[in-house]
Amino acid sequence: MNKQSDNGKDGKTVSLVLGSGGARGLAHIGVIHWLEEHGFHIASISGCSVGAMVGGIYAAGHLDEFEAWVRSITRMDLVALMDLSWGKSGLVKGDKVISTLVGLVGDQCIEDLPIPFTAVATDMLNEKEVWLTSGSLFDAIRASCSIPFFLTPVRLNGVELIDGGVLNPVPIAPTFGDSTEMTLAVNLGGPAEEPLGPEVEHPEPVEASSTMRRKINRFIHRFKNNGKEAPGRDWGVYGIAHQAFDAMQGTIARQKLAAYPPDRLVVIPKNACGTLEVYRAAEMIELGYRRAERCFSELLA
């Protein structure tokens, strides 16, 4: 694709591709901050799952409000946002999160956004990608975020949709027609690294000691650290499903990036945090900023 100009930083218009990966995707916020601070102009955004959420909210002009919210979330806030589904298609409906976000930043039509935006989801029945470029922003985000087994699928425009990461965890293809000077992709499934630093602990309310709270906390931790707990641990069906999905996404991402390499690639280690560890937002945002800086290190020399 080689969109970048020979002048390096002089080529400042960017097609931004934000990948899937649960709470690790809060690193996307740090990447966006770095780009803005260094004079790059984000001219289009393509994202799936958490990448669609962060990218869509940024395109709508409300990233600051979203960032303030995620930075304030504690473990118990996360529990409160889990509206359990009693059906068989997913553990959580996701309506509470979407309603909270709509109340926080408002909903818009994608076609009215000041920055061209594509949310990528997966059509289960026909086994193909779906690029959502019009209609309700948060309907598209919710469809793109429908992690199999965890969040219930979404029926949109007569099609049953699940997480875009099933087929394309780093959706570069929607940017192919852009006239920007650079494509920058963020892959949240990079190789595991040594511990990146101590987890930031958040004080929890007294109710956290209740039996139900403890049970839900144990469930959250089944999704933590990509399976690094003691051998022989009984992960349960959702923990195993998550591990399989994460492994699948990592493999597909490597294949997609090899076939369609972006001009710049920011890589976040797959063990940076667990899928549901949204309460580690500050760490992930800082990590994204540092990794973006590393990606452009030669321009800063």
Side-chain angles (χ1 to χ4, degrees):
M1 294 188 304
N2 195 28
K3 295 182 182 180
Q4 190 176 15
S5 71
D6 294 334
N7 295 326
K9 193 176 173 181
D10 289 338
K12 291 185 179 181
T13 55
V14 177
S15 295
L16 184 60
V17 180
L18 302 178
S20 62
R24 294 191 300 277
L26 297 176
H28 293 323
I29 299 173
V31 174
I32 290 171
H33 285 332
W34 193 94
L35 291 172
E36 288 189 325
E37 288 178 16
H38 290 81
F40 292 89
H41 172 66
I42 298 171
S44 80
I45 301 172
S46 171
C48 72
S49 200
V50 67
M53 180 177 290
V54 174
I57 291 172
Y58 175 76
H62 293 286
L63 189 64
D64 288 345
E65 295 96 319
F66 176 73
E67 179 179 350
W69 178 63
V70 294
R71 282 181 179 271
S72 72
I73 289 176
T74 66
R75 287 179 176 86
M76 288 302 102
D77 293 328
L78 183 61
V79 170
L81 288 167
M82 286 188 178
D83 45 354
L84 298 182
S85 168
W86 301 109
K88 296 181 180 179
S89 58
L91 180 69
V92 176
K93 290 184 289 186
D95 295 343
K96 283 188 177 181
V97 172
I98 296 300
S99 295
T100 300
L101 290 173
V102 170
L104 184 69
V105 306
D107 199 4
Q108 300 182 39
C109 288
I110 296 174
E111 58 268 34
D112 296 333
L113 298 177
I115 300 174
F117 170 70
T118 302
V120 177
T122 299
D123 177 347
M124 291 193 300
L125 181 62
N126 296 300
E127 302 176 1
K128 65 179 183 180
E129 291 179 38
V130 175
W131 296 359
L132 301 169
T133 57
S134 63
S136 163
L137 172 63
F138 278 103
D139 283 352
I141 289 173
R142 175 63 183 84
S144 183
C145 290
S146 300
I147 302 172
F149 303 108
F150 182 64
L151 284 171
T152 55
V154 170
R155 191 165 186 82
L156 194 59
N157 302 323
V159 180
E160 200 85 358
L161 299 176
I162 59 174
D163 196 298
V166 169
L167 294 180
N168 198 349
V170 190
I172 295 175
T175 71
F176 285 172
D178 291 351
S179 58
T180 55
E181 292 143 310
M182 179 195 311
T183 295
L184 170 67
V186 184
N187 176 20
L188 303 178
E193 297 181 6
E194 291 299 316
L196 302 173
E199 178 182 338
V200 174
E201 293 293 338
H202 298 272
E204 304 293 352
V206 174
E207 308 90 271
S209 62
S210 72
T211 301
M212 180 57 70
R213 298 298 191 194
R214 288 200 303 271
K215 285 182 178 179
I216 297 177
N217 270 340
R218 283 199 297 270
F219 168 77
I220 292 171
H221 285 287
R222 288 176 184 169
F223 287 81
K224 182 178 179 180
N225 293 332
N226 291 294
K228 290 178 65 178
E229 301 199 21
R233 179 182 175 85
D234 179 9
W235 276 70
V237 64
Y238 292 107
I240 292 172
H242 161 67
Q243 290 300 301
F245 184 57
D246 216 36
M248 179 191 73
Q249 284 195 108
T251 299
I252 295 173
R254 288 191 294 273
Q255 293 171 345
K256 293 285 188 180
L257 291 168
Y260 308 110
D263 299 300
R264 298 274 177 171
L265 179 64
V266 174
V267 179
I268 304 298
K270 63 184 179 182
N271 66 330
C273 78
T275 299
L276 298 182
E277 293 183 305
V278 181
Y279 45 83
R280 295 178 65 184
E283 291 176 67
M284 292 304 103
I285 294 168
E286 175 63 22
L287 176 62
Y289 188 95
R290 294 199 312 267
R291 291 303 168 98
E293 191 162 65
R294 177 189 296 184
C295 179
F296 289 90
S297 60
E298 81 283 359
L299 300 182
L300 305 175

